Amino acid sequence: MQKIINRDWIHPRFHFKDTSVGIPRDRLFLMIDYWKEKFLIHKVHPGYTVGIALSVMDELYVSALFASFEYGLKIVVLLKPPNDEYSEKPRYKAWFPLDVCILDTVSNIGEYYHNYYLKRSKIVIHRETEYQLPRRISKKNKSIILNPKDVCFLCTSSGTTNDPKLISHTHEFLDRKSTRLNSSHTDIS
């Protein structure tokens, strides 16, 4: 059976532990829906590229990642250039401009990186410190149909030749990789 990367990947006993607060699976699902509603509000379309420029891999990051997969976006691996000189190298600007950037606050990500991603993105969705989770998801968000062959993940080669190769991965490819990793994993619980 071919799979699409979505919330069904999240184990039923999942419980995200972030600082002192545990996030149960059903709350994470509401957070995924929150991001998908944000995409609708900002007129994001399936197939757009998205960069997730959040400073911490917390419940907002994980839910944004899964929402992007479910919405049919192409997630771009963002590289953080150490300075302005590096930002002009091919490897750092290969996927710019982004169609969408989920951007952290200046206080979390720093002014340099906040401005860096802001200037290189067509649509910016800012991280909110206070957010309201949706009670239900709109019909338009439920109607997005994905194909295992849809590209969902974008990255670059190392760029050692100074001309990085642009690499795209499909849902099917990531599912196969995950299945192979899981089959070699021994559960010690």
Side-chain angles (χ1 to χ4, degrees), residues 18-110:
D18 176 36
T19 60
S20 62
V21 181
I23 307 293
R25 182 177 186 243
D26 51 340
R27 178 167 167 82
L28 184 65
F29 285 6
L30 287 173
M31 296 172 84
I32 293 168
D33 292 340
Y34 161 82
W35 285 114
K36 289 171 71 175
E37 291 297 316
K38 285 286 197 189
F39 296 154
L40 272 178
I41 291 165
H42 286 84
K43 296 181 175 32
V44 174
H45 297 283
Y48 277 13
T49 58
V50 62
I52 303 173
L54 299 176
S55 59
V56 178
M57 190 177 275
D58 60 4
E59 71 279 0
L60 280 174
Y61 186 100
V62 172
S63 59
L65 190 68
F66 275 95
S68 298
F69 283 130
E70 287 186 10
Y71 202 83
L73 302 179
K74 299 172 186 174
I75 300 167
V76 175
V77 175
L78 296 178
L79 301 173
K80 290 171 78 173
N83 56 45
D84 284 332
E85 180 185 332
Y86 272 81
S87 71
E88 293 308 312
K89 292 187 181 228
R91 183 169 184 223
Y92 289 93
K93 61 183 190 174
W95 294 108
F96 291 119
L98 291 171
D99 293 316
V100 182
C101 183
I102 298 173
L103 189 57
D104 213 333
T105 61
V106 173
S107 61
N108 284 345
I109 201 169

Side-chain angles (χ1 to χ4, degrees), residues 98-142:
L98 291 171
D99 293 316
V100 182
C101 183
I102 298 173
L103 189 57
D104 213 333
T105 61
V106 173
S107 61
N108 284 345
I109 201 169
E111 189 172 348
Y112 174 79
Y113 290 115
H114 188 272
N115 292 335
Y116 176 79
Y117 294 122
L118 193 63
K119 289 190 299 190
R120 290 164 175 81
S121 305
K122 297 173 188 173
I123 299 170
V124 175
I125 302 174
H126 291 276
R127 176 191 186 130
E128 298 172 347
T129 52
E130 300 289 325
Y131 52 90
Q132 188 72 33
L133 295 178
R135 296 188 204 292
R136 62 185 179 280
I137 191 162
S138 68
K139 287 181 183 176
K140 187 167 183 174
N141 255 329
K142 289 181 181 178

